[in-house]
Amino acid sequence: MQSWAVRLLLFFFTAPAFSADRLPGFGAGVATFTVSGVSSGGYMAVQMQMAHSSRVHGVGALAAGPYYCARGSLWTARGQCMTGAPAASRSDPDRYGREKRIDPVANIGKARVWLFSGTQDRTVVPTVVEALARQYALLGAQPVLIKDRPAGHAMVTENAGNACPVTEPPFLNDCDYDAAGELLRHLLGNLSPPSSTPGGRLIAFDQRELGGTNAISMAAEGFVYVPRVCETGPCRAHVAFHGCQQSVEAVGERFVREAGYNRWADTNRLVVLYPQAVARYWWWTYNPRGCWDWWGYTGQEYATKEAPQIRAVMAMVERLGTRQ
């Protein structure tokens, strides 16, 4: 087995050349926006929504549990928050709200919330997602929970990926169910039918200049999908977080192209941001599966407005709102 020193040397001296440009601005409407994600990306979407509830007016989460479920512990994350029955409480959001580490908790009850749990998911079991639904209800929201589809642990699609009950890369499952479309319709209201095939641009950009660095387990490149109509006219913004082992580094562009968002974006004036986490094996940032931080590997502030990953993604959202 390679030593840690050898791994570090391999990383620094064999990393590919990097050439992505800075993230463009498209004049998107980002005063308010929506977020969604699957697995660790679902946890991250919930963290971002609660941290910035004055601006994030809708959240979709597949296979994710309550806000601050792990309480800074990897062992709690891997146990209670994946295969247990965690408590549904508003105490942590209330405390962070009083301390002004997240936006006022009163905003959370106004958000639109869409949740999904597959009946064949043994990675994040249904009781965990049900606890998230109860937590949002305690905070005054009216969450929709879809829990009747025989899906494994994956982003559920209409016609892309593995068989529905499977749990394996690329963690996209063909369940004859368009989860991206269903969650977007719930979060955004009435939408036009999706395009038959995506016709916009998928743009790679440099995450590092906006704070998305290796030190916080974010990849050098992120992606944004821009419909043609959004190149010159105003559009809304949505952030889609991939799950563990589902970044472009891990599965290529499967998630950013096949998760289902882009066809809806084309016909509904929606820019979709796909930030990217990356696997890290450093003792101070140990994240071997390329998960978003929902247990504290970037520090104690991981679920607040001061969280390094949340700050980086918010900087990307702000950039989308500029016109360049």
Side-chain angles (χ1 to χ4, degrees), residues 63 116-122 124-126 129 146-147 149-152:
F116 181 95
S117 178
T119 63
Q120 302 303 306
D121 192 337
R122 304 292 182 259
V124 177
V125 299
V129 186
I146 308 300
K147 56 179 183 178
R149 301 283 168 165

Side-chain angles (χ1 to χ4, degrees), residues 2 13 24 26 82-83 90 105 155 198 213 215 242 285 295 309:
Q2 293 174 338
F13 292 105
F26 295 97
M82 293 178 68
T83 57
R90 59 175 293 162
V105 172
M155 180 69 193
T213 64
H242 63 75
T285 308
W295 67 84
Q309 290 180 350

